[in-house]
Amino acid sequence: MTTLIASRPRSRPAHPPGATYCAYTPDGTRLVTVGSNNTTRLYKTGYEGEPTNIDDCQEQNLALATSNNYFVAGSEDGTVSLYSLDTNAFDRFLLRTSLPVRDVAISPDYQWCAVASDELTVRLVGVHDNTQLRTLKEHGKPTKHLTFDPKGSLLALSCTDGVIYIYSLTAEHPELIRKVDGVIGRLDTESEASSRAVWHPDGRAFAVPTPTRDIQVISKNDWEKQRVFKNGHDGDITALAWSPNGAMLASAGRDKKLLIWSAKDQSVIARYEYPNVTDICWHPTQNLASFTTSDGELYISPDFVPEQFASLLRLPKQPAPFIHDPLTELSNNTRRLEVSGPKPDARPRRDSVDGDLDDLLDENYGADDDFVVDDDGAGYTLNAGRKRPAEDDAIYESHPTKRGNFVQPQHHPSFQPGSTPWRGNRKYLCLNLIGFVWTVDQDSHNTVTVEFYDHEFHRDFHFTDTFLYDKACLNDKGSLFSCPPKDDGSPAVVFYRPHETWTQRNDWRIQLPKGEAVLAMSLSDSYITVTTTGNYVRIYTLFGIPVRVYRPKSTPIVTCVSWRDYVLTMGNGPVGADGMSRLLYTIENIKRDEVVQNEDTVALPEGATVKSVFFSDNGDPCIYDSTGTLLTLLHWRRPSRAVWVPLLDTRLLLRLASGRKKESYFPIAVADNKFHCIILKGGDQYPYFPRPLLSEFDFAVPLTSAKPKKKSSKKKQQRNGGGDLMDLDGEDSDNGNSTASEANDSDSDSENNNNTTDPLTTKESLPLTQSFLLSSLRAAQLSDMLESSRSTASQRATLARLELDIDKTLLQLLAIECREGEDRGMRALEVVQLMKDRTGRMIEAAGKVAESLCASLKKYLVGFSRSKWKGDHTTLAGLPGPGRGPTLRYIFILIDRFAPSESESESIVPHRRRFGGVLR
């Protein structure tokens, strides 16, 4: 862009030599200047006469901030003074500090004034009530500059340690939320060089001078570096200011240059030559700017922006200069739906040649066509263009079509699994267990790096990317890239690079039809799948032979993944009552040309979205949703039988149970029966550089949110002199050994828990239950795979081992149930029924477990019948009655199976008859 040397405005002596500062009021009617003397000057905009002076001010004023009704000045003696613009006089002191004030700022709502000084804290004082005081002290260093963002929710402190501290002001007490390091240099508070963070008018970024004499833009979204205004200054930058609409940036430096930059392309559009500039301010509405120097001079430039570029000031508010604007990326991925119904011009006009009925009908036809008389007040003649008036006419007033009143559907956006959005000039294109692919934007080109975890099989490589690839896939076979179509009409390109081949030419590129962009793509050992904005699924072999091109039923397409010969595609389906599209998936075998799951629903809770989709190392589809739940698809090889099964709910992890730790997880893969992910802290949604380490979590099916407990000791075991168990159910009214506290505990437990204990909350049973569920799930998935493919001996052996592990887990559960006593008898029987062994060995083992653990129970029943019953069957009143039949049935089963003698077993027969109705 052409650089102009602008005309030089005249100087105005405002103050004695020394640091001088200026600021326009927000309405632009007046300009305020402060300096080293005790006089403040007020200049009326457009008036060439002498300014208004406010005398008897503090001397050595080092900071200034204005509103429409007042302005605030901070001085070297530590006082912060408020002056009224209505009376043009001193009003009151807002604050006193023990050290010199370095900067002041007024919040956008004009309620607070932030004060920075040589002290280690920053004060927020109420403008209208200075008893309201808040202290910011977490930065712990003297603050040179401070600025509010346009919304007033953030305060940026530029401190002497070379760090920008970001405080959030949304809560009652300000909170330090970010430290932006490595951007500004270490400066003394008295240095003329500036490190001020100047917020862009759109509030999404700020610009700050750097030690390299450039101007760096920092994004508020991720606090990363964006565009750079460079090669303009040869000395330290001393002042910085955005134009009111953010289209331009003005800067001044010790090199005697005052530059105006274009924010769009970071080029210099105007150049002034002024030494010792200390402050710059733009007029809020006019092509006017003012700046001051350390010589005490004021310059008011009426045509600050040259005429050639003055049109930039008339533009609406411009976006901050991002390398990759997240708002632009979101808008590009948003599909704008056309409203159903006829277009406004679709109906022929009355005055058109075709279909003109005026020549065929009388000219008065239709003028008095209200021949239906509304004699009953039913509204026949009201709203003649429609059958009946709608109830919402008062709200919507008019309807362009009969069905024009409906909620616009919301679609799930497309995404590439394993990738991240741009953050600064870097982006991860792919993250998985093979390696990772990342790219760096170098303005004219990108630099792509591919790194592997296992360097014994593959070597890292990088290359210069002139196609600007924005998506990638990586596996053991090769790497796949794609780039979007260019503005010059160049089509989108898909590029595949195998890791090793036996031919000389080992990579290939394919151009997509013009207008099509890649939404998502996947790479397997056999095929490459590409989904596009044209609602096409394009499938290629690994060396570029098109195998299939088709349009799926569920569109717009969201994503795709593949494993061996299987391809899973996701798309938006019918719209629900909440206006959100249902997410549907299809799985097909490309080699066999068969669909195994056709337009089935992705199981998501209301309001949730899918964060990632991938196949596990065993080839089972998995999803990770926005609620933090990992799910896998069971029986997906059987049509219409697939079901989503939860493997892990990260919200129930013990590391998050205290509530003090807040973190999220970026999914990577499911392998070795573990969830591999990257832990994200500080509210981040995506990983960034340097590359974080992978973490892994064991599966844990969400069964209960209660913490595991130790085995309940509610049931007291009281023994008599003979050592026999006297209290089977915790009921012993004759012994008199229960204390009042125990009785109260028993009553409390009876009321709250109905005399039962949740078996899932014990430390012993919960891990075993988890092991049983997960082993059963793995066995079901392996069994499905063996049924649909040619099974090998090792696979069948693996399945047999899994089933054996399931039975072993059930045996351990059986031992716990038997040890808990007769209350869990029916659970013990159900555990035995769940065993998968058909040879009878596990049933025999279960019998031995029950015999060893229930011997005391059997001894009590048989011994009690010999010593006390003596044929008197009525003394069994203490045993469970009809309401406890299942427990009694379990007792008799144990006695029948494990009684040591026939006589002992026969002694129970009369009592069996008594409870015969219950046992049946």
Side-chain angles (χ1 to χ4, degrees):
M1 188 174 286
T2 306
T3 301
L4 299 180
I5 299 178
S7 58
R8 184 182 183 89
R10 67 180 181 89
S11 65
R12 307 182 184 209
H15 301 276
T20 307
Y21 302 93
C22 62
Y24 279 102
T25 58
D27 58 9
T29 57
R30 278 178 281 191
L31 174 69
V32 183
T33 64
V34 296
S36 58
N37 60 346
N38 61 352
T39 300
T40 299
R41 292 183 179 269
L42 307 179
Y43 295 83
K44 186 177 180 179
T45 302
Y47 178 67
E48 295 295 331
E50 289 297 319
T52 301
N53 294 336
I54 301 178
D55 298 322
D56 297 329
C57 301
Q58 303 300 113
E59 294 186 353
Q60 299 297 330
N61 292 292
L62 303 176
L64 174 66
T66 62
S67 73
N68 290 327
N69 301 320
Y70 61 86
F71 67 91
V72 175
S75 62
E76 193 174 29
D77 63 359
T79 58
V80 179
S81 308
L82 186 144
Y83 299 86
S84 173
L85 289 175
D86 297 329
T87 61
N88 296 333
F90 170 79
D91 191 335
R92 64 185 185 277
F93 289 116
L94 278 183
L95 187 70
R96 290 181 181 271
T97 62
S98 58
L99 295 175
V101 174
R102 297 301 175 183
D103 201 4
V104 294
I106 298 176
S107 62
D109 60 0
Y110 308 116
Q111 301 299 314
W112 295 90
C113 178
V115 180
S117 66
D118 287 348
E119 296 178 353
L120 303 183
T121 60
V122 169
R123 308 285 183 85
L124 283 175
V125 58
V127 173
H128 305 291
D129 181 9
N130 61 357
T131 61
Q132 297 182 0
L133 192 64
R134 298 176 181 176
T135 303
L136 285 62
K137 55 185 178 181
E138 295 183 50
H139 52 283
K141 298 291 181 180
T143 301
K144 182 173 175 61
H145 304 288
L146 48 76
T147 50
F148 285 96
D149 79 318
K151 293 183 179 179
S153 60
L154 298 176
L155 183 65
L157 311 183
S158 300
C159 295
T160 56
D161 60 351
V163 179
I164 301 175
Y165 297 87
I166 308 296
Y167 280 87
S168 173
L169 307 179
T170 55
E172 182 179 358
H173 301 286
E175 178 185 4
L176 178 64
I177 62 173
R178 194 74 181 189
K179 298 179 182 179
V180 183
D181 198 359
V183 180
I184 62 175
R186 295 175 179 265
L187 295 175
D188 294 333
T189 54
E190 298 179 353
S191 173
E192 292 184 1
S194 174
S195 59
R196 181 186 301 274
V198 183
W199 289 93
H200 190 274
D202 73 353
R204 297 188 300 136
F206 60 79
V208 61
T210 67
T212 58
R213 301 164 182 176
D214 298 328
I215 303 169
Q216 178 69 61
V217 177
I218 304 295
S219 168
K220 186 182 77 170
N221 181 47
D222 50 19
W223 309 109
E224 295 297 332
K225 298 178 181 179
Q226 296 293 333
R227 295 293 183 185
V228 182
F229 298 81
K230 55 186 177 181
N231 302 326
H233 288 282
D234 298 325
D236 292 336
I237 296 174
T238 57
L240 206 61
W242 290 102
S243 64
N245 63 351
M248 289 170 286
L249 178 68
S251 64
R254 288 181 177 177
D255 55 357
K256 302 180 181 180
K257 295 179 183 178
L258 195 157
L259 307 177
I260 302 177
W261 306 75
S262 170
K264 185 176 182 179
D265 57 5
Q266 302 85 54
S267 62
V268 177
I269 59 175
R271 187 188 308 271
Y272 292 93
E273 298 289 339
Y274 289 100
N276 306 323
V277 174
T278 57
D279 202 4
I280 306 173
C281 60
W282 294 75
H283 190 275
T285 58
Q286 303 177 17
N287 184 5
L288 177 66
S290 300
F291 49 94
T292 54
T293 69
S294 58
D295 298 326
E297 296 178 324
L298 168 68
Y299 293 86
I300 300 178
S301 180
D303 294 315
F304 186 59
V305 180
E307 183 180 358
Q308 179 180 349
F309 303 102
S311 60
L312 295 177
L313 281 175
R314 296 189 289 271
L315 295 174
K317 185 178 293 183
Q318 299 297 295
F322 284 85
I323 297 177
H324 296 278
D325 195 333
L327 292 183
T328 303
E329 292 183 358
L330 289 176
S331 62
N332 290 338
N333 290 332
T334 302
R335 185 179 299 270
R336 295 175 174 83
L337 300 178
E338 297 181 0
V339 179
S340 60
K343 304 294 187 296
D345 296 331
R347 180 177 297 177
R349 298 190 305 271
R350 292 282 296 174
D351 57 351
S352 63
V353 176
D354 297 333
D356 190 355
L357 298 180
D358 290 341
D359 296 338
L360 303 177
L361 303 175
D362 296 337
E363 62 179 6
N364 293 329
Y365 178 81
D368 299 320
D369 58 354
D370 53 345
F371 58 91
V372 179
V373 179
D374 187 12
D375 54 356
D376 59 356
Y380 298 121
T381 61
L382 295 177
N383 201 10
R386 293 160 58 185
K387 293 182 178 180
R388 293 291 175 89
E391 295 179 356
D392 55 1
D393 277 347
I395 301 176
Y396 297 99
E397 296 183 356
S398 63
H399 297 272
T401 65
K402 291 184 178 180
R403 299 185 182 273
N405 240 353
F406 59 90
V407 178
Q408 291 289 342
Q410 299 180 8
H411 290 318
H412 295 268
S414 61
F415 67 92
Q416 176 66 31
S419 68
T420 68
W422 287 100
R423 188 169 176 179
N425 64 340
R426 295 171 181 261
K427 172 181 179 177
Y428 284 110
L429 300 181
C430 179
L431 286 164
N432 57 29
L433 292 184
I434 302 298
F436 52 97
V437 184
W438 52 284
T439 182
V440 180
D441 191 322
Q442 307 286 359
D443 289 337
S444 61
H445 64 277
N446 291 355
T447 302
V448 176
T449 302
V450 180
E451 296 188 20
F452 298 92
Y453 291 110
D454 193 344
H455 292 90
E456 293 184 2
F457 294 94
H458 307 292
R459 292 183 299 176
D460 300 341
F461 64 91
H462 67 275
F463 59 91
T464 300
D465 170 25
T466 59
F467 289 88
L468 307 182
Y469 297 125
D470 63 344
K471 293 178 177 63
C473 298
L474 182 67
N475 67 2
D476 287 326
K477 298 285 186 179
S479 51
L480 179 68
F481 301 89
S482 72
C483 69
K486 304 296 190 300
D487 295 335
D488 59 3
S490 302
V493 174
V494 176
F495 168 58
Y496 177 69
R497 174 173 176 170
H499 297 323
E500 56 183 24
T501 61
W502 53 271
T503 59
Q504 183 175 1
R505 181 177 179 83
N506 56 10
D507 55 10
W508 54 267
R509 286 184 177 87
I510 289 181
Q511 292 184 350
L512 298 181
K514 288 188 177 181
E516 279 192 41
V518 177
L519 292 176
M521 59 183 187
S522 63
L523 174 65
S524 71
D525 295 341
S526 307
Y527 298 100
I528 291 172
T529 305
V530 179
T531 60
T532 70
T533 54
N535 285 334
Y536 287 114
V537 177
R538 302 178 180 273
I539 300 176
Y540 306 88
T541 64
L542 291 185
F543 288 90
I545 302 176
V547 176
R548 189 169 303 164
V549 178
Y550 65 93
R551 179 168 288 175
K553 300 175 185 177
S554 54
T555 57
I557 303 172
V558 175
T559 191
C560 66
V561 289
S562 55
W563 178 77
R564 294 185 181 175
D565 299 334
Y566 291 95
V567 172
L568 183 150
T569 58
M570 280 189 182
N572 290 278
V575 179
D578 59 351
M580 192 71 181
S581 296
R582 292 172 54 195
L583 198 58
L584 305 180
Y585 71 94
T586 297
I587 304 177
E588 63 176 317
N589 189 305
I590 303 301
K591 187 175 183 179
R592 297 180 183 176
D593 193 16
E594 62 180 14
V595 176
V596 291
Q597 298 297 326
N598 186 21
E599 301 298 317
D600 198 3
T601 303
V602 179
L604 293 174
E606 184 178 356
T609 58
V610 172
K611 305 293 288 185
S612 187
V613 187
F614 44 84
F615 279 90
S616 68
D617 58 342
N618 295 323
D620 295 300
C622 299
I623 63 172
Y624 185 80
D625 63 24
S626 56
T627 66
T629 305
L630 174 69
L631 301 101
T632 187
L633 194 60
L634 182 62
H635 302 315
W636 60 272
R637 293 178 176 86
R638 303 178 183 180
S640 303
R641 289 196 55 187
V643 59
W644 291 99
V645 179
L647 292 176
L648 177 67
D649 189 344
T650 57
R651 296 171 297 180
L652 301 180
L653 291 175
L654 292 179
R655 57 190 292 123
L656 302 180
S658 63
R660 294 189 298 268
K661 180 181 294 186
K662 294 183 179 180
E663 61 188 25
S664 57
Y665 308 94
F666 184 81
I668 298 297
V670 168
D672 299 328
N673 298 318
K674 295 180 183 295
F675 174 51
H676 298 261
C677 63
I678 295 175
I679 299 177
L680 305 174
K681 299 183 179 180
D684 289 339
Q685 296 297 319
Y686 300 95
Y688 193 58
F689 299 86
R691 178 177 56 82
L693 298 177
L694 296 182
S695 301
E696 58 183 36
F697 294 98
D698 292 327
F699 296 152
V701 179
L703 298 176
T704 177
S705 58
K707 296 181 180 179
K709 303 175 183 178
K710 293 183 179 180
K711 188 176 65 174
S712 175
S713 59
K714 180 186 65 175
K715 296 184 178 181
K716 308 297 181 181
Q717 295 181 351
Q718 304 293 339
R719 297 184 178 273
N720 60 5
D724 292 333
L725 186 64
M726 293 297 297
D727 186 7
L728 187 63
D729 295 314
E731 300 174 359
D732 190 357
S733 59
D734 297 331
N735 56 18
N737 293 331
S738 60
T739 62
S741 61
E742 291 173 349
N744 292 336
D745 291 344
S746 178
D747 293 341
S748 176
D749 290 340
S750 176
E751 293 175 1
N752 298 332
N753 300 326
N754 196 22
N755 284 333
T756 59
T757 302
D758 185 0
L760 293 179
T761 60
T762 60
K763 287 187 176 181
E764 290 179 306
S765 61
L766 184 57
L768 293 175
T769 305
Q770 289 283 356
S771 177
F772 166 69
L773 287 175
L774 295 174
S775 298
S776 300
L777 175 62
R778 290 196 293 271
Q781 290 176 332
L782 182 56
S783 178
D784 288 345
M785 185 178 69
L786 298 184
E787 290 178 3
S788 61
S789 62
R790 296 179 180 177
S791 61
T792 63
S794 61
Q795 291 175 333
R796 292 192 295 271
T798 302
L799 179 59
R801 284 195 299 271
L802 275 176
E803 293 179 346
L804 181 61
D805 292 339
I806 294 173
D807 288 347
K808 289 181 178 179
T809 303
L810 290 173
L811 278 177
Q812 297 178 54
L813 281 173
L814 177 64
I816 295 175
E817 302 301 332
C818 292
R819 195 163 52 242
E820 289 293 328
E822 47 135 343
D823 284 347
R824 306 274 273 273
M826 289 308 299
R827 287 177 58 88
L829 292 179
E830 289 177 338
V831 168
V832 176
Q833 293 173 358
L834 290 174
M835 292 183 176
K836 295 182 175 295
D837 180 63
R838 297 297 178 261
T839 63
R841 289 177 297 177
M842 283 297 171
I843 301 297
E844 182 180 354
K848 293 180 179 180
V849 170
E851 179 181 10
S852 61
L853 293 176
C854 300
S856 59
L857 179 62
K858 176 202 62 180
K859 179 180 178 181
Y860 160 68
L861 288 173
V862 176
F864 191 80
S865 65
R866 281 182 170 180
S867 60
K868 291 189 177 182
W869 292 348
K870 298 185 183 299
D872 185 3
H873 304 161
T874 60
T875 58
L876 278 173
L879 286 178
R884 308 292 290 276
T887 300
L888 193 60
R889 182 191 301 114
Y890 171 61
I891 293 171
F892 283 125
I893 290 173
L894 290 179
I895 293 175
D896 286 344
R897 179 175 295 182
F898 306 113
S901 65
E902 183 178 354
S903 60
E904 290 178 346
S905 178
E906 290 177 351
S907 65
I908 306 298
V909 172
H911 310 294
R912 177 192 294 275
R913 295 196 188 102
R914 179 188 174 196
F915 292 88
V918 177
L919 296 180
R920 285 195 297 269

